Amino acid sequence: MKLNLNRPLAFFDLETTGVNVGADRIVEIAILKAMPDGSELIKTLLINPEMPIPLASSLIHGIYDKDIANEPTFKAVAAELAEFIGDADLAGYNSNRFDIPVLLEEFLRAGVDFEMSDRKFVDVQNIFHQMEQRTLRAAYKFYCNKDIVNAHSAEADITATYHVLLAQIERYSDTEFEDKQGKISKPVKNDVDALHTFTNMNKPVDFAGRMVFNEQDQEIFNFGKHKGKTVEQVFDTEPSYYAWMKQGDFPLYTKKKLEEIWTRWNKKKEQLKQEKQQQQVVANKPKPNPNVKPNPSAAPPKKPKPAVEVTNDMLEQLKMKFGK
């Protein structure tokens, strides 16, 4: 079918250095401009973000620092992109919450006045989420073709959840799934270990998502100014961050896991300190001179004479000898 358009609709997607709207930068932008006559115009550009791309982000979109080293900055192409979009309305997937705010930040940094007041915004994800609701009631209806009786009572909800899982295992047992790295598998199995792996793809450390595991199974912060850094790395450079979190408004379990990492980090520090001290002792110990050879004819060292008890006769002899 053909979209009914009064003016162009520009579908666009961004790949970025991260998900912080205010701080992260664009590394790739693709725009499909649907025209009222049914034709389509496409423009795709790699962008030098003028900052390193974190490995965690590169593993998702496949763009590394070397790929954008010689590409133009956003400022260099901002006017070209604004002209290509023109007066088009904007569309995307999760674009209202992420892509549009990031794009506007970049235009503002570049000094380009990208007027938004007269544009319409179509977020395809919002259509999906609202039309295909992600509630337990909707899932029970979709997978089991039943309505929950006494919905929102704990027993009814948990019984429905149990039956939804059974239906999911049966429905997806032979269904392929492609993850963000392009790996294809059949993850929904009648196996708790497999289901655990599939339903914990973000690998949280504390379940609140403040800390997650990276690809090397190291704990990293998932929020704030240290987002993407390992927790131990932050302790090395800013140990006061631990105290700030312990005193802050964070879940108790987050604090518990943070304390475990802190204790482990301190043990490592103490162990390294002891190893360094031992190495210093060995380094300071006098070493035998290889140029000095032992003399086999040298007399053995004299043994000290045992102490002799002083008697009265000995004292009398001394008086006579010295006339005292």
Side-chain angles (χ1 to χ4, degrees):
M1 65 174 289
K2 174 174 170 268
L3 282 173
N4 183 19
L5 301 174
N6 295 319
R7 63 178 179 182
L9 181 61
F11 293 82
F12 77 103
D13 183 68
L14 307 177
E15 303 299 345
T16 62
T17 57
V19 294
N20 187 318
V21 171
D24 282 304
R25 311 295 289 269
I26 296 172
V27 298
E28 184 180 35
I29 180 170
I31 307 170
L32 185 155
K33 191 173 180 182
M35 307 301 288
D37 63 3
S39 62
E40 298 169 1
L41 304 174
I42 296 179
K43 180 183 285 290
T44 302
L45 293 175
L46 285 171
I47 306 291
N48 187 328
E50 301 180 273
M51 65 181 289
I53 305 174
L55 178 60
S57 298
S58 293
L59 290 172
I60 293 173
H61 51 53
I63 302 171
Y64 294 81
D65 290 332
K66 61 182 178 61
D67 300 319
I68 47 78
N70 298 318
E71 298 297 336
T73 65
F74 188 89
K75 186 174 184 178
V77 298
E80 174 188 347
L81 289 171
E83 183 179 357
F84 181 78
I85 297 172
D87 65 348
D89 295 322
L90 301 177
Y93 194 87
N94 194 33
S95 50
N96 289 355
R97 294 180 58 188
F98 184 73
D99 298 83
I100 289 176
V102 171
L103 184 65
L104 293 178
E105 288 290 310
E106 292 280 29
F107 274 131
L108 287 170
R109 290 191 196 100
V112 172
D113 184 16
F114 189 74
E115 182 58 46
M116 296 291 289
S117 59
D118 194 37
R119 298 181 195 272
K120 301 294 189 296
F121 319 115
V122 179
D123 192 326
V124 176
Q125 185 188 67
N126 287 344
I127 298 174
F128 174 45
H129 284 179
Q130 292 186 81
M131 296 304 293
E132 302 293 341
Q133 294 183 29
R134 292 305 186 250
T135 62
L136 176 59
R137 180 191 291 273
Y140 195 53
K141 184 69 175 178
F142 180 80
Y143 289 107
C144 305
N145 197 27
K146 297 178 181 178
D147 292 315
I148 300 177
V149 179
N150 296 326
H152 301 303
S153 73
E155 185 175 335
D157 286 356
I158 204 64
T159 301
T161 302
Y162 170 61
H163 287 289
V164 165
L165 176 60
L166 294 177
Q168 287 175 326
I169 292 170
E170 184 176 355
R171 184 184 187 94
Y172 300 126
S173 62
D174 200 40
T175 302
E176 290 186 344
F177 173 81
E178 182 175 356
D179 64 18
K180 293 178 180 179
Q181 286 73 45
K183 182 180 178 182
I184 297 175
S185 63
K186 295 179 180 179
V188 183
K189 303 175 182 178
N190 197 355
D191 177 84
V192 171
D193 288 345
L195 294 172
H196 164 80
T197 300
F198 186 56
T199 58
N200 290 275
M201 297 178 70
N202 290 330
K203 300 171 70 176
V205 173
D206 61 334
F207 292 102
R210 298 294 186 176
M211 295 178 288
V212 298
F213 290 103
N214 63 12
E215 295 297 322
Q216 292 74 42
D217 282 330
Q218 300 169 312
E219 300 96 339
I220 63 173
F221 284 116
N222 196 36
F223 76 101
K225 65 179 182 178
H226 293 305
K227 183 182 176 73
K229 296 180 183 177
T230 68
V231 177
E232 291 194 10
Q233 178 187 355
V234 174
F235 288 166
D236 286 334
T237 58
E238 191 181 338
S240 61
Y241 202 70
Y242 167 76
W244 175 77
M245 285 192 67
K246 287 287 286 183
Q247 295 167 10
D249 186 22
F250 292 96
L252 293 177
Y253 192 74
T254 297
K255 294 181 179 181
K256 178 179 183 293
K257 300 305 290 184
L258 186 74
E259 186 171 350
E260 290 176 5
I261 301 169
W262 175 263
T263 301
R264 185 186 69 205
W265 174 76
N266 273 298
K267 285 182 178 179
K268 285 183 182 179
K269 276 187 64 180
E270 184 60 31
Q271 184 177 355
L272 288 173
K273 181 181 177 180
Q274 292 176 1
E275 290 176 356
K276 188 175 180 180
Q277 289 174 342
Q278 291 173 357
Q279 292 170 358
Q280 193 67 36
V281 169
V282 172
N284 293 336
K285 186 177 180 180
K287 298 180 180 179
N289 190 339
N291 297 321
V292 178
K293 297 182 179 179
N295 186 357
S297 62
K302 294 182 179 180
K303 294 182 180 180
K305 293 181 179 181
V308 178
E309 184 179 357
V310 178
T311 64
N312 289 332
D313 289 342
M314 292 172 67
L315 291 174
E316 289 297 328
Q317 290 176 8
L318 287 171
K319 287 181 180 180
M320 293 173 60
K321 181 176 181 181
F322 293 104
K324 294 184 181 179

